[in-house]
Amino acid sequence: MKTNKKMLVLAGDGIGPEVMGQVRRVVDWFDRRRAVKFDIQESLVGGASYDKHGTPLTDKTLADALSADAVLFGAVGGPQYDALPFDKRPERAILALRKEMGLFANLRPAMVFDALVDASSLKPEVVRGLNIMILRELTGGVYFGEPRGMEKLPDGQRRAVDTQVYTTGEIQRIARVAFELAKKRGNKVCSVEKSNVMWTGQLWRDEVTKLHGAEFPKVELSHMYADNCAMQLVRNPKQFDVIVTDNLFGDLLSDCAAMLTGSLGMLPSASLGAVDQQGRRRALYEPVHGSAPDIVGKNMANPIAELLSFAMLLRYSFDLQDDARLIENAVEKVLASGMRTADIMSPGAAKVSTVVMGDAILRELDKQAA
Ligand code: NAD
């Protein structure tokens, strides 16, 4: 008996529709070949929505996102929208979705496929087999804390203030996600803060430790200062499994970890919210990259980041571990066969287009499921 999953697909602007086109073929493949069945709704978002409706995110699309089991997002933005007023900019759509859906947990895996080990700026032995997860708190901390602002002082200087604020509840809910993730991976959490110099860091460490003792004693927990974590990520990244940290440190450390893998076109992400009254966890999945205006319409974009985002959707929204692994294995095999889109091209490999990469992944899925 197939179960119907309600998925809202928002391809967006630039290469968004191109990479999503390949993912839609894979979604259709799952519909035909696997136990999962999707009810798909598609809407415009970002600049495409602005062009048609005069707003980057309509109320209807927001309502659909709130009632979907999961949202699969492409990318938004482009130079033609750069002069728009702030509230009409395409990027407002993703910020509004994150806020309205209450997406407080941002998951950024950094995985190095064997075939791409040379794409990293680090030595192959440091990154080969790397598979870590950076979990960033997304809705609190210094980007939102009050008071914030800028003022002019009587002596003519200007003074600016940002405030780092966390409550026990905010720390506990992100730490809980970290421990639950770790249980399904390598069973290790490293909690990262600066409790040596920040009150919020002390509270962070206390609350993570308390929750660990009360609910997750079997998960291995360590603590690290954020500056040391930045060093360890480039010295020996394989020591980590799940890293959990606040909004600001997570912003920096997730970009640092991403570059261990070498290419923007390969990086998926997920943002998870609280569980709603129907027992559903709101969730949005998107590649880390943007709309890549420089290559739009050239059939050059790498669809793998979007495809791996769909694999995350299968794993985290629907607990379909085997199906997620099917996609990851297919990607691994296609890369091992020497096929590359331009962004991950290496000497001796075969340069292929977006659509040919999609063809190859579908053929590989067929083989694996045979
Ligand atoms: P970008 O990620 O779009 O592109 C950076 C570089 O990486 C470009 O050279 C691009 O060609 C390349 N690239 C990105 N994704 C690729 C892929 N899948 N395959 C091959 N090459 C790829 O970042 P940018 O140039 O700074 O921003 C372009 C636009 O995207 C801006 O309007 C920006 O605001 C927007 N943006 C949107 C999001 C989002 O929708 N979440 C995220 C970042 C940037």
Side-chain angles (χ1 to χ4, degrees):
M1 176 74 170
K2 290 201 169 198
T3 46
N4 273 37
K5 310 286 187 194
K6 209 168 137 194
M7 182 161 82
L8 176 66
V9 171
L10 301 173
D13 307 321
I15 61 165
E18 295 175 43
V19 293
M20 193 68 86
Q22 299 313 306
V23 176
R24 284 299 308 272
R25 297 173 71 197
V26 171
V27 174
D28 291 345
W29 184 91
F30 273 82
D31 254 348
R32 284 197 313 274
R33 301 288 302 267
R34 304 287 293 176
V36 60
K37 177 123 194 84
F38 294 98
D39 280 342
I40 294 183
Q41 226 183 330
E42 281 180 288
S43 297
L44 299 175
V45 74
S49 172
Y50 175 79
D51 289 340
K52 174 116 191 254
H53 304 295
T55 172
L57 181 71
T58 64
D59 291 345
K60 163 89 170 62
T61 303
L62 176 59
D64 290 343
L66 292 173
S67 67
D69 290 319
V71 178
L72 186 64
F73 193 90
V76 290
Q80 67 273 45
Y81 305 110
D82 283 352
L84 287 177
F86 190 64
D87 64 322
K88 303 285 187 209
R89 297 282 296 267
E91 293 79 2
R92 296 308 300 166
I94 185 70
L95 296 176
L97 280 167
R98 284 182 190 148
K99 178 159 180 277
E100 298 300 326
M101 293 172 73
L103 305 176
F104 67 86
N106 182 234
L107 283 67
R108 293 256 300 253
M111 229 190 319
V112 173
F113 289 96
D114 265 1
L116 294 187
V117 80
D118 291 323
S120 174
S121 51
L122 297 191
K123 293 185 194 122
E125 62 269 26
V126 176
V127 293
R128 192 182 302 282
L130 180 76
N131 181 358
I132 63 176
M133 177 73 79
I134 310 273
L135 180 62
R136 165 187 173 193
E137 200 290 328
L138 202 58
T139 53
V142 74
Y143 294 158
F144 299 97
E146 297 284 347
R148 55 194 279 110
M150 207 181 289
E151 62 179 346
K152 191 138 192 198
L153 297 176
D155 68 359
Q157 293 190 72
R158 287 192 302 163
R159 177 174 177 270
V161 179
D162 296 288
T163 304
Q164 165 90 336
V165 189
Y166 273 106
T167 61
T168 52
E170 285 173 315
I171 299 168
Q172 282 169 3
R173 68 179 183 176
I174 188 81
R176 188 169 280 113
V177 174
F179 289 123
E180 278 162 3
L181 274 175
K183 277 167 66 178
K184 293 188 179 168
R185 298 171 40 96
N187 210 38
K188 281 200 307 192
V189 170
C190 179
S191 169
V192 170
E193 28 62 13
K194 279 189 71 77
S195 54
N196 49 343
V197 287
M198 295 172 75
W199 286 104
T200 46
Q202 269 191 32
L203 185 67
W204 187 279
R205 189 175 285 219
D206 289 351
E207 291 305 322
V208 172
T209 306
K210 250 194 260 170
L211 184 76
H212 174 249
E215 294 181 30
F216 303 96
K218 292 196 176 138
V219 178
E220 191 183 315
L221 172 66
S222 61
H223 302 274
M224 197 177 272
Y225 298 142
D227 45 348
N228 185 24
C229 184
M231 280 199 288
Q232 296 300 329
L233 269 175
V234 288
R235 193 185 73 86
N236 175 19
K238 284 189 265 186
Q239 69 186 285
F240 298 110
D241 176 25
V242 175
I243 291 174
V244 60
T245 190
D246 73 15
N247 202 344
L248 174 63
F249 296 141
D251 196 359
L252 309 182
L253 295 174
S254 61
D255 271 15
C256 177
M259 277 303 106
L260 300 174
T261 70
S263 173
L264 208 46
M266 296 289 301
L267 295 168
S269 81
S271 298
L272 308 181
V275 177
D276 69 12
Q277 283 165 345
Q278 287 80 43
R280 262 182 333 204
R281 190 188 272 287
R282 294 210 168 114
L284 182 144
Y285 300 84
E286 58 177 327
V288 169
H289 65 73
S291 58
D294 52 333
I295 57 166
V296 70
K298 294 185 178 159
N299 197 12
M300 274 173 71
N302 185 347
I304 294 177
E306 187 76 65
L307 186 57
L308 294 176
S309 300
F310 175 60
M312 289 187 84
L313 179 152
L314 295 174
R315 175 169 287 129
Y316 296 114
S317 280
F318 304 138
D319 204 22
L320 294 167
Q321 310 292 337
D322 292 346
D323 296 85
R325 222 165 287 123
L326 259 184
I327 294 180
E328 289 156 2
N329 289 345
V331 168
E332 173 95 64
K333 282 270 161 50
V334 169
L335 294 174
S337 77
M339 279 196 195
R340 303 276 191 280
T341 42
D343 58 309
I344 51 172
M345 190 56 195
S346 59
K351 185 149 79 169
V352 300
S353 67
T354 310
V355 174
V356 171
M357 181 56 91
D359 292 343
I361 288 168
L362 282 167
R363 266 199 311 275
E364 192 52 48
L365 284 170
D366 274 340
K367 260 196 236 166
Q368 293 204 21

